Every structure is written in C-alpha cells, then in structure tokens.
Amino acid sequence: MLVARPIFPEVIARLREHLDVITHDSEQALSATELQARLQGCDGVFVAASEPINAELLAACPQLKAVCSMAVGYNNIDVPACTARGVLVSNAPDVLTETTADFGFALMMATARRIAESERFLRRGEWTHWSFDLMAGADVHAATLGVLGMGRIGQAIARRGALGFGMPVIYHNRSRLPEADEQAVKARWVDKATLLREADHLVIVVPYSPASHHMIGEAELALMKPGATLTNIARGGVVDDAALARALAERRIAAAGLDVFEGEPKVLPALLDLPNVVLTPHIASASIPTRMAMCNLAADNLIAALTGGKPPTALNPEVLART
Ligand code: GLV
Ligand code: GLV
C-alpha cells in the first residue's frame, strides 16, 4: 500500500507491522498522473483531503481495495465509483471535532476583534498613540451566532457560543436536529435567508458537494448585516471567494476569517490585499494530538480493510459484505 503524504513516522511504523508500505516523502502533493503511477500494484492508499480518487484512477489501478483518508471531508473521493468497484473508503470523523471547533471559534473571534490586523499594524511600527477607536471591532459575547451546517463540528461550535459566551445561536441545515440535540446546544433552526439576515457572526461548516458549491455568493452576502463577520472552515468553493472579496472591499460586511479557499493553496489576490480578512492555511484540525489521532484512525481503517477486519469508520461498509 501507498502512503501518499508524509505523516508521523510512528504511524508509518504501525502500518509496517501489518502491511507492505511504500511512502511518498515529499511535501509536494502527487499529481493525479503521479498518483496513478505510484499506485500500480498497490492494494491500499492513505490519503488526505486533496488527492483526487475518481473513476479514471480506479480503472487504472484495478488492484486497489481500500482508500483511507485522514480527513473528515471526502469530497476528493468519488465514493459511489469506489463502491461500484468494491473499493472500501473511510474518512476520519469525530476525532477532530472539538479541535476543529476550537479553531473555528478562535478564527471567528480573531475576525471579530481584528486580532491579525492589529498585529500587522503593531509590527509595521504604526502604533504611535492610543485612540478611542483604535482597532475597535465587534463584540462576540451576546452577539448572535449563525452556524451554517449543523454536523458534529457545527454543534461543537454552537455549544461554545451558547454555553461559554452567552450567544443566541441560530443554525441552518438541510435537516433539523432532533429537539433534544437542539436543546443541548441551545440552537434554533431557521431558513437560510433568516440565518444570513440575523447572524452577527456566521460560521460555515457544511461539507462541500455540488449542492453546496457557492452556497454563499453575491445574493447571500447581500442579505448579511453590514457589521457581520463570516468565517469559513468548511471547504473552498462553498463560498464564492471573488464575491466575498468584493463585499469586504466595499464594507458590505465587516470582516471574514478564512481557513479554506477555492483553488488552495493558491489564494485569490484580492483577498490577500484586504485588511479585514484573517487568512490561515487550512489548519482547523491541526493540533498535534488530533493530527496524530486522525493518522491513527486512517491507519486502523487500512489495516482492518486489508487484513480481513472491520474498518471502524468505513463510508461504504457494504463492499465488505460482498467479498
Ligand atoms: C480537513 O479539511 C478535513 O476534512 O479533515
Ligand atoms: C461535520 O460537521 C462532521 O464532523 O462531519
């Protein structure tokens, strides 16, 4: 099997106790063609959020039996195509929920309170005097938190806002949470337009799919309050980055915090030029213990899938029943 990314050596060593392992040792991600070439003869692959696993690759790698990702989002993997070929797919849910929610909350707070902008200002030597409105931003406590996407991470963010910061929480999700869960996170379901109109701080945590492509574009941004902030820790493409850059430049919303981008690791130059946006390099799950847990969970799935066991977080466990 191939580990398509450099990962913790301890996890490689664990995989080697059970499987024949080849590694890709450069931080430069494999291109689709390189991935296909490296996978010849491999029965499994360890991937992260960006390796494209599609029907074309599967057709070219007939020995592949398992695709295990250390990410929770799996929009890079064509799961139905894998299922059709009997290839097991797994992701890494749950182990990153709280860490990712911590980061979403931190990015929202940094955005509201202009922390990154203040730091750049100070480092540039521009801090010459106190002023009544120096870097004055929006309040977080008691402001209305809007959560778009109420999966596990969305619920963990809602809990932080409601229980820790006294925020009224509204959310939108295709399906409503059961009432007991709504009560636990103290969140109220609203339609998408109401969410956009009422949120002081909007945090986006929906998985990417063709249905969520540009879910936040020009028309949606136009509904938001001029003082509102938008934080995206979901996936690039859920937000129309060019429309967001225009709204920020024209101060139609106050600020944005972005951990994910369309076409990342490239970032739209218009965003890089704006003062009122906090930019981070897709690191919401990046605490050391959580990245270790994500790698170990992907390894558990691979070892089980390739040695006749039961992968703990399979997305298409039905393929195992067939063999
Ligand atoms: C990271 O973006 C993940 O999906 O885990
Ligand atoms: C998303 O919210 C997840 O944890 O799957």
Side-chain angles (χ1 to χ4, degrees):
M1 58 136 315
L2 169 71
V3 181
R5 297 250 157 193
I7 58 168
F8 296 99
E10 299 91 309
V11 181
I12 302 273
R14 252 193 78 215
L15 285 165
R16 288 215 156 104
E17 287 169 21
H18 304 270
L19 306 168
D20 275 339
V21 178
I22 57 173
T23 58
H24 171 62
D25 296 323
S26 155
E27 294 290 344
Q28 199 63 45
L30 291 165
S31 70
T33 339
E34 289 164 341
L35 184 61
Q36 194 170 306
R38 294 297 305 275
L39 276 176
Q40 291 313 305
C42 285
D43 54 358
V45 63
F46 181 121
V47 298
S50 62
E51 284 78 13
I53 307 290
N54 50 36
E56 188 190 339
L57 178 110
L58 295 171
C61 307
Q63 272 154 308
L64 203 58
K65 291 195 181 65
V67 174
C68 298
S69 175
M70 65 176 280
V72 65
Y74 50 90
N75 52 292
N76 55 318
I77 305 172
D78 184 338
V79 180
C82 288
T83 306
R85 287 195 171 261
V87 175
L88 181 107
V89 183
S90 67
N91 69 336
D94 304 324
V95 290
L96 48 46
T97 301
E98 298 299 328
T99 295
T100 304
D102 284 350
F103 187 88
F105 215 85
L107 187 56
M108 181 265 280
M109 291 193 78
T111 303
R113 294 302 306 275
R114 303 173 66 179
I115 289 177
E117 187 184 355
S118 296
E119 216 246 6
R120 288 191 298 270
F121 167 87
L122 183 150
R123 283 183 192 266
R124 282 195 305 262
E126 291 173 20
W127 185 24
T128 54
H129 57 277
W130 183 89
S131 160
F132 75 101
D133 65 349
L134 179 62
M135 294 293 159
D139 268 324
V140 172
H141 73 275
T144 298
L145 175 63
V147 181
L148 183 59
M150 205 52 152
R152 289 157 288 207
I153 298 167
Q155 290 175 53
I157 290 172
R159 259 196 331 269
R160 282 161 176 71
L163 307 179
F165 288 76
M167 302 174 87
V169 182
I170 51 178
Y171 77 96
H172 181 73
N173 202 60
R174 266 186 307 186
S175 54
R176 266 187 84 151
L177 291 182
E179 209 175 302
D181 292 352
E182 279 190 351
Q183 277 168 9
V185 298
K186 298 193 187 309
R188 181 166 60 88
W189 185 92
V190 293
D191 60 43
K192 191 172 137 197
T194 305
L195 182 83
L196 294 163
R197 276 195 210 99
E198 291 186 4
D200 294 310
H201 302 298
L202 177 69
V203 180
I204 301 170
V205 221
V206 280
Y208 181 82
S209 71
S212 63
H213 182 77
H214 286 190
M215 196 172 188
I216 301 296
E218 202 73 54
E220 290 75 20
L221 291 163
L223 297 177
M224 292 178 69
K225 298 181 187 178
T229 74
L230 174 155
T231 297
N232 184 10
I233 59 162
R235 275 290 180 274
V238 172
V239 175
D240 177 343
D241 284 353
L244 176 63
R246 284 193 297 275
L248 289 166
E250 294 163 14
R251 304 278 166 164
R252 283 183 272 123
I253 66 169
L258 304 175
D259 187 49
V260 288
F261 305 88
E262 295 189 271
E264 64 186 54
K266 292 206 184 82
V267 176
L268 190 69
L271 287 172
L272 293 171
D273 290 342
L274 289 167
N276 51 341
V277 54
V278 185
L279 306 165
T280 54
H282 201 151
I283 54 165
S285 67
S287 74
I288 295 163
T290 289
R291 283 289 166 86
M292 181 65 90
M294 292 161 72
C295 283
N296 272 315
L297 182 53
D300 292 342
N301 277 291
L302 267 165
I303 294 165
L306 298 177
T307 62
K310 185 174 177 294
T313 54
L315 290 163
N316 57 355
E318 65 272 24
V319 303
L320 295 173
R322 278 194 225 144
T323 51

